Each structure stands twice: as structure tokens, then as C-alpha cells.
Amino acid sequence: MESTFVMVQMECTESPEENLRKAARFTEEAVRKYQPQLLLFPESFMIEFGKGADAAARNATAQPLNGAFVRGMRALATQHGVWLVFGMRERVEDSADSRSYNTVIMLNDRGEIVRSYHKTHLYDAFGYKESDEFKAGDAFFEPVDTPFGRIGLFVCYEVRFPEVARDQRAKGAEIILMPTAWVKGDLKSLHFKTLVTARAIENTCFLLACDQYSRIRMGESIAVDPMGVTLASAGEGERLIPVYIDTERIAEVRKKLPSYEDRRPELYTG
């Protein structure tokens, strides 16, 4: 089965309304140029703050799943007949917790919310503590059967935990999506490409990592096939990255590289 996905590498602003307008522009361009079945936007796509913004002010911008931002994205999916996957800051319905969820939404081509996911492994690393601002989810993404394959998902920092991708593979994922807001820094580009490629190879899945680009975000979005071959990649700047996927490649690779089937779980510890 052949399909076309488009990764939307973009700079996200502090205005959800502006990000919606950018999404509309990029979606229209992607549909015109590539006729994709699915568009993948970055993590934290709804709103992104620069350094120094107060945490309370950030969390005050969070919206519910039936808020204006998600409604706008649902309208886009319906208008263009495409699946959309994007990150947002979701309000936590708990008066005792002032944090937000780092959420990813999957919409089908009728604009329906197919799945929402709260990032489970928060970026408490490299001198930053995401858990001060976000509440961790308590369950992994449940892969979704789509007209173009069974899709799994995780978010950004979670690529550093092989158990997360392995969970998606164990649940039958053929294509794994990774919205991300990867921060620039020493060796960060090396880590990004190495980890994405490793997760694709060890699980014999397609893996698409769509990153933000900005003064502090790296860009360099990448899509890798089940044998670790780079299908598409980007450098810096805002851009659309088409990814052409043939799911017959999965069976071909898994036949000659049955590493998942060759596991010996009885020998493994947690």
C-alpha cells in the first residue's frame, strides 16, 4: 500500500490564532503540491514560547480538546479531506494542579478526533525541567488502524526510551509518528538522527520525526524506513517534507530481519 505523508517543519509562535493561520497555509500548499493522506505537525504546535516566559502565563494559554484551536484544526481536516496530527497545550481539569498536558491530537479526514495522547516521559534533562510545567500522561498511545497502515506515536524526548517505541511495535504499529520540539545544542543533531534511526531499525517500522524550527529549535526533520534508510530529511527553516511510504516494504524487511520475533523476553529484566 502506497501513501503520501507530509511533515510540516515550521516555526511556532506565541499566538494560537497565528499558528492556525500558518497551518491553513501549509495545509493548502501541501494538498496542492503533494495530495497527501496525512500531515504531521510538530510537538507544542498550538503555542510556543521563547525563553523567559512565566510558567503561570504559559499554562494560562492551555485549551480543552473542544477549544478554539482544535476546532480550527478539525475544520482544516474536513475542508481538505486529510488526516492531521499535531501538538497542543491541553488544560488539566484539576484545580489543584496548575500545569498543562503536552498533548498530541490525531484527526481523521472527516475532522473527528481519533486519538489524543498525553506525553508520558517529560524532558527533565539538559538543564530543563518540563515536569514543572506539564503533567505526565499515564498511558502510552494506542495505535490506530488507518487506510494507510497501523499508526503508532510518541513525542520528542520519548525517543530516548526504547521501551516506548517497542510498546508501539508490540501493539502492531507499522508507521510511528514523532512530533518533536528538539532543542539545539552540542551533539543534539547526532542524538536526534541516531535515536530515530535506531528506533526504526530495531522495530522494523517507518518512523517520521517532525520538528519545530526556530532560534532555539533545531529543525532537521527526518523520515526513516524499517531498514534505517533515510526517506526524507530537512535542514533548517520552515518547509514541507513529503514522505512516500510503501507498507509492502515492512513485510520485506521483517522477513529478512526478524529481530522482533527473535527476542527472548524470558531473559530480560525491567
Side-chain angles (χ1 to χ4, degrees), residues 38-261:
L38 183 147
L39 270 69
L40 174 61
F41 290 85
E43 176 189 15
S44 306
F45 160 66
M46 183 189 92
I47 189 164
E48 175 70 4
F49 294 92
K51 288 185 176 180
D54 177 75
R58 294 172 186 242
N59 285 320
T61 66
Q63 295 187 17
L65 296 187
N66 61 354
F69 188 81
V70 175
R71 291 200 307 271
M73 294 297 286
R74 292 180 67 180
L76 266 182
T78 303
Q79 176 186 351
H80 294 284
V82 294
W83 290 58
L84 299 179
V85 177
F86 59 93
M88 67 170 292
R89 181 182 291 263
E90 182 187 351
R91 184 178 301 158
V92 172
E93 299 299 335
D94 180 355
S95 59
D97 196 333
S98 62
R99 295 175 299 173
S100 309
Y101 285 120
N102 185 335
T103 298
V104 174
I105 305 294
M106 176 182 286
L107 305 176
N108 66 18
D109 55 1
R110 299 183 298 279
E112 299 164 337
I113 297 177
V114 176
R115 192 81 80 235
S116 64
Y117 172 66
H118 299 149
K119 185 178 180 182
T120 58
H121 293 64
L122 299 180
Y123 183 65
D124 290 358
F126 293 97
Y128 180 70
K129 196 167 184 183
E130 188 178 14
S131 60
D132 284 345
E133 191 171 338
F134 291 95
K135 180 178 180 179
D138 57 9
F140 290 146
F141 186 84
E142 288 297 321
V144 175
D145 287 317
T146 74
F148 24 87
R150 187 164 173 82
I151 293 183
L153 182 146
F154 56 77
V155 181
C156 197
Y157 185 55
E158 295 180 319
V159 75
R160 294 185 181 274
F161 303 88
E163 298 88 349
V164 181
R166 180 49 53 91
D167 171 83
Q168 298 298 283
R169 170 69 169 91
K171 293 173 180 172
E174 300 171 305
I175 303 163
I176 299 177
L177 307 180
M178 177 184 148
T180 181
W182 205 265
V183 178
K184 295 176 180 177
D186 293 343
L187 299 178
K188 294 296 291 298
S189 178
L190 172 65
H191 287 194
F192 184 72
K193 293 173 182 175
T194 301
L195 290 163
V196 167
T197 303
R199 298 294 89 86
I201 293 170
E202 68 195 10
N203 293 295
T204 52
C205 292
F206 288 93
L207 206 160
L208 282 64
C210 181
D211 195 15
Q212 285 193 38
Y213 175 75
S214 70
R215 182 178 58 83
I216 62 171
R217 306 296 183 188
M218 189 176 67
E220 300 187 30
S221 300
I222 186 170
V224 180
D225 89 348
M227 191 59 91
V229 176
T230 299
L231 298 176
S233 62
E236 59 187 7
E238 294 189 310
R239 62 190 67 243
L240 297 173
I241 307 112
V243 183
Y244 303 104
I245 293 174
D246 184 353
T247 52
E248 291 186 9
R249 172 71 166 158
I250 299 168
E252 173 189 320
V253 170
R254 291 179 180 178
K255 183 176 180 180
K256 59 185 174 183
L257 179 60
S259 55
Y260 181 82
E261 289 73 20

